[in-house]
């Protein structure tokens, strides 16, 4: 098996339309979250990270003028993936794979005022739109596995390359803030009208956000960037416990990280930083704290990026991985925005202030409805 | 390690009012309504798992198919077997998504129900199976416009060869309005049918 790397990447979000711009905003502890009072979304105010329509159109129009032909999510995905393809100068061949990571895709076309055909709500139709736009020769593979989709896609891409199915895979992940999603989380009493506070005693619930994020996964060392990382281990395990609540013992997450560590051949003390899930619900945060303690990762610096983007669902694992890549490159531990006082029963080392530290590896984790968990370990590429 | 050969140990299909295990019907009913059909299957097969009643249509379909197969294979929760689950379909969870959307169309928007919303993700059905059989294993859900044996074959082989899983429960589980179909199969180191794309299609088209 040859090494597999994450290379060129992009984030289209409320914090900017390039990874560099987004990462710069995060380094300055600037959040994309805003309080929104808009009855089209929800009867009561809520806090979310929304993509500005004009900014999105500008980003999209770099690649196409046919703005009216594409849904909002398609435009975000095209703007994001287009940027990666352009940056990397990649020519798409029969050995290039395409993965779409999303939970709900174009779910907004189900709204009664939508001008798009209801057929657009099928995720394979979204895959075909992206495939056709960029002229991929292979059909898109759509990964829809709740909130682990984004990070699971990285593991899936690595396996395709390991199995010699593709030379490189482009992943684009995206999900929208919609009435569909907001009303659902609101029915769980889980939404906060203030910026979320992962792992904090004073947490008030989650925020939803929207982003599209893309990355080139490749085994070719000649197409790497200065922020490239190698994927050194991955694991996914179910909690086998509950469909909408995480395991009290963190079983699935514990097993996922164990599996990823075994894969990578590195021990817990060689992980320099954890980009955790941290949705800011008491059950999730507590579950993670228990799992990380069982793994001996309680002293490892950890953050949740939900305070910057909100929970971006099927894109979250991917966008948070990209931020992690840039953190490794700049040797920076970014503050876990919204954290004040520890609100979990087990000790964890939440990053309170953005600081410099030599970083070589990081662990990305995610957990989701259905009891799914995924962990992937990345290592800095030593440039010669 | 690439030399290892894998086999399809068992398969189960649910289509047109028939539930079949390894090609032999285990339940039949002319009932056209899927929810009525699957409920009478649940009773007739004496599954005895009350959580079944709260599941959405996709989870009911997937759960019954998996239960028929895993019960036949004598998989017991206490064994905590490392059986990965890799499912796919065309309609994702759209059947339930439309119900949730209909409940929030009014101006007030307070009609959403958590028990419906939780099923607006396709992988929930894998969670239901994992809970009953205590499968702490890998699970993934993929969406394709049609049954894609090549992809499932490749993915299962990769999980087995890298020893991420001892066995893989693969397949297609789709519910879209009135139409439904399930075809799942267990890939293992033992069995009679070779784990090959042609065989996966052959059993699917039977």
């Amino acid at each position: 098996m040859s090494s597999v790397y994450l290379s060129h990447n992009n984030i289209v979000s409320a914090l900017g339309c390039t990874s560099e711009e987004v990462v710069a905003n995060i380094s300055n502890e600037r959040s994309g979250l805003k309080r929104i009072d808009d009855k089209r979304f929800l009867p009561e105010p809520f806090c979310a990270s929304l993509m500005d329509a004009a900014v999105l159109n500008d980003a999209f129009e770099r690649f196409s003028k046919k703005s009216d032909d594409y849904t909002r999510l398609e435009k975000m995905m095209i703007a994001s993936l287009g940027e990666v393809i352009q940056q990397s100068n990649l020519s798409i061949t029969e050995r290039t794979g395409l993965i779409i990571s999303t939970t709900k895709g174009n779910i907004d076309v189900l709204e009664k005022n939508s001008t798009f055909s209801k057929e657009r709500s099928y995720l394979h139709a979204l895959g075909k739109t992206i495939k056709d736009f960029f002229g991929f020769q292979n059909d898109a593979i759509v990964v829809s596995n709740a909130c682990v989709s984004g990070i699971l896609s990285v593991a899936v891409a690595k396996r395709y390359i390991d199995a010699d199915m593709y030379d490189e895979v482009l992943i684009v992940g995206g999900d929208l803030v919609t009435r569909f999603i907001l009303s659902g989380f609101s029915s769980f009493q889980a939404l906060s009208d203030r910026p979320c506070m992962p792992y904090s005693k004073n947490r008030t619930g989650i925020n939803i956000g929207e982003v599209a994020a893309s990355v080139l996964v490749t085994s070719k060392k000649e197409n790497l960037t200065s922020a490239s990382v190698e994927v050194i281990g991955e694991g996914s395990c179910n909690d086998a416990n509950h469909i909408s609540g995480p395991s009290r013992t963190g079983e699935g997450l514990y097993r996922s990280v164990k599996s990823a560590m075994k894969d990578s051949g590195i021990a817990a003390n060689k992980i320099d930083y954890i980009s955790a899930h941290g949705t800011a619900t008491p059950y999730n945060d507590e579950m993670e704290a228990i799992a990380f303690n069982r793994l001996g990762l309680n002293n490892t610096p950890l953050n949740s990026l939900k305070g910057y983007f909100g929970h971006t669902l099927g894109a979250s694992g991917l966008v948070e991985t990209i931020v992690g890549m840039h953190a490794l490159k700049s040797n920076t531990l970014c503050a876990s925005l919204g954290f004040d006082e520890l609100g979990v029963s087990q000790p964890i080392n939440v990053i309170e202030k953005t600081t410099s530290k030599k970083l070589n590896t990081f662990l990305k984790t995610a957990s989701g409805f259905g009891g799914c968990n995924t962990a992937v370990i990345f290592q800095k590429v030593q440039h010669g | 390690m690439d030399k290892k050969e894998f086999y399809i140990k068992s398969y189960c299909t649910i289509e047109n009012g028939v539930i079949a295990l390894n090609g032999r019907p285990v339940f039949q009913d002319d009932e056209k309504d899927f929810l009525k059909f699957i409920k009478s299957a649940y009773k007739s097969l004496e599954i005895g798992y009350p959580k079944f009643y709260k599941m959405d249509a996709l989870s009911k379909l997937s759960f019954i198919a998996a239960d028929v197969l895993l019960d036949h294979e004598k998989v017991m929760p206490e064994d905590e077997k490392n059986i990965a689950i890799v499912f796919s379909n065309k309609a994702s969870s759209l059947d339930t998504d439309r119900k949730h959307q209909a409940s929030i169309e009014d101006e007030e928007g307070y009609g959403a129900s958590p028990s419906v919303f939780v099923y607006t993700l396709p992988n929930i059905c894998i969670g239901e199976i994992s809970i009953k059989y205590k499968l702490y294993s890998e699970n993934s859900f993929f969406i394709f416009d049609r049954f894609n044996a090549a992809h499932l074959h490749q993915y299962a082989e990769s999980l087995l060869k890298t020893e991420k899983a001892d066995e893989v429960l693969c397949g297609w589980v789709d519910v879209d309005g009135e139409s439904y179909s399930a075809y799942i199969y267990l890939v293992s180191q033992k069995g009679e049918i070779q784990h090959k794309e042609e065989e996966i299609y052959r059993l699917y088209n039977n």
Side-chain angles (χ1 to χ4, degrees), chain A residues 43-44 122 160 179 234 238, chain B residues 106 108 110 139 151 164 176:
Chain A
E44 63 274 2
Y122 284 85
Y160 290 146
R179 187 175 169 96
E234 44 89 8
N238 198 284
Chain B
D106 64 76
E108 290 303 310
Y110 283 120
N139 43 194
H151 178 266
K164 290 270 180 204
D176 195 351

Side-chain angles (χ1 to χ4, degrees), chain A residues 11 26 98 179 210 230 245 279 311 317 335-336 367:
Chain A
I11 300 169
I26 290 175
L98 170 64
R179 187 175 169 96
E210 57 190 11
E230 183 181 343
T279 56
H311 189 350
S336 193
S367 306

Side-chain angles (χ1 to χ4, degrees), chain A residues 140-163:
Chain A
I141 292 155
V142 181
V143 175
S144 189
N145 213 70
C147 300
V148 310
S149 304
I151 188 64
L152 180 62
S153 293
V154 172
V156 171
K158 177 181 187 293
R159 287 178 197 167
Y160 290 146
I161 294 172
D162 281 343

Side-chain angles (χ1 to χ4, degrees), chain A residues 179-202:
Chain A
R179 187 175 169 96
F180 185 103
I181 287 296
L182 291 166
S183 65
F185 279 100
S186 172
S187 76
F188 270 101
Q189 315 283 328
L191 277 190
S192 175
D193 63 351
R194 280 179 284 164
C196 65
M197 304 175 76
Y199 310 111
S200 162
K201 196 175 172 180
N202 305 308

Side-chain angles (χ1 to χ4, degrees), chain A residues 103-104 107 175-187 191 208 311 313, chain B residues 100 104 117 120-121:
Chain A
T103 62
K104 299 314 311 162
I107 198 69
D175 262 311
L176 297 175
V177 173
T178 55
R179 187 175 169 96
F180 185 103
I181 287 296
L182 291 166
S183 65
F185 279 100
S186 172
S187 76
L191 277 190
I208 304 294
H311 189 350
L313 310 172
Chain B
H100 173 65
I104 58 165
F117 182 65
T120 60
L121 292 164

Side-chain angles (χ1 to χ4, degrees), chain B residues 40-91:
Chain B
S40 73
Y42 166 81
K43 285 185 172 166
S44 157
L45 295 166
E46 296 179 351
I47 289 170
Y49 188 69
K51 275 186 190 164
F52 170 83
Y53 291 104
K54 66 163 184 69
M55 295 179 195
D56 78 336
L58 179 63
S59 282
K60 282 180 172 156
L61 175 77
S62 314
F63 175 80
I64 297 288
D67 203 71
V68 166
L69 191 155
L70 295 174
D71 184 61
H72 169 74
E73 289 297 337
K74 302 192 171 50
V75 174
M76 307 293 268
E78 50 274 28
D79 299 341
E80 291 190 13
K81 289 213 171 157
N82 186 2
I83 305 175
I85 306 183
V86 182
F87 281 177
S88 56
N89 77 7
K90 178 175 177 174

